[in-house]
Every structure is written in C-alpha cells, then in structure tokens.
Amino acid sequence: MVNLLELAITFIERLETHLETIRNIPHLDANLKKMSQALAKMDILVTETEELAENILKWREQQKEVSLCIPKMLAEEGHLHKHGIIVPLLPLTSKVHVRASNTK
C-alpha cells in the first residue's frame, strides 16, 4: 500500500509535465518546420560570413601591397622631380567586389 501511495504521488508530481507534452504534440510539425527554416537561414548567414571574411582577407592583402608600393612610388617621384619630370598620380582603386544581399 505504501509503495502504491509513493507511485501515486510521483505520478501526480509529473502529471503537469506529461500533460504539457501531450498538449504540444499537435504543434510539433509546425515547430519542426520553424526550426528547419531557422537552420536554413543560419546556413545562409554562415555562407555570407565566410564570403565576407574571404573578401576582407583579400582586401587586407591588397592594402599590404599598396603599402609596400607607396615608398617606392614616392622615391621614384622624388627622383623624377629632381630631373624636372612631373608624373600625375593615379587614383588607387580596390579590386574587391562586395555582393549586397537581401536575405530576411
């Protein structure tokens, strides 16, 4: 009898949890669909983040190359100015293309 009473008490204590689980069963498909959509969005964001990181690394390398060329250009320009030759400066442009995306 004591054993049955203990089982009854345990069952009553867990009853609300069991009822909540049963209530959520009809919503399971909708929740799984939402989770799948969220996972797909996260995958897109990961891909875009990887592309952005790659573009940043490319840009960084280009900036290093430009930084290395500046002293050479200035030295050459100074040498040319000594001889009366004026060289117009060319604008520096980046070759990194940024892709804008609208994913919401």
Side-chain angles (χ1 to χ4, degrees):
M1 187 71 169
V2 173
N3 193 19
L4 283 176
L5 186 58
E6 288 176 3
L7 287 174
I9 291 171
T10 304
F11 177 79
I12 291 170
E13 288 173 347
R14 296 182 183 169
L15 182 61
E16 186 60 38
T17 305
H18 295 306
L19 289 174
E20 188 66 30
T21 302
I22 291 169
R23 282 188 215 118
N24 285 329
I25 289 174
H27 305 289
L28 192 59
D29 286 338
N31 290 339
L32 287 174
K33 185 176 180 181
K34 287 178 186 177
M35 286 176 60
S36 179
Q37 290 171 343
L39 185 59
K41 286 180 182 180
M42 284 177 56
D43 190 39
I44 290 169
L45 291 174
V46 166
T47 301
E48 289 178 352
T49 302
E50 288 171 347
E51 289 174 3
L52 180 60
E54 192 174 307
N55 285 338
I56 288 170
L57 291 174
K58 286 178 186 176
W59 178 83
R60 225 170 151 190
E61 282 300 313
Q62 289 176 348
Q63 297 310 307
K64 285 181 186 177
E65 291 173 14
V66 168
S67 296
L68 293 175
C69 290
I70 288 175
K72 293 176 188 174
M73 290 171 55
L74 292 175
E76 186 177 306
E77 184 180 317
H79 177 72
L80 292 175
H81 276 301
K82 283 183 188 177
H83 299 304
I85 302 170
I86 298 173
V87 179
L89 294 175
L90 297 175
L92 298 175
T93 58
S94 175
K95 294 180 183 178
V96 176
H97 300 285
V98 178
R99 180 179 61 93
S101 63
N102 187 9
T103 55
K104 286 191 178 185

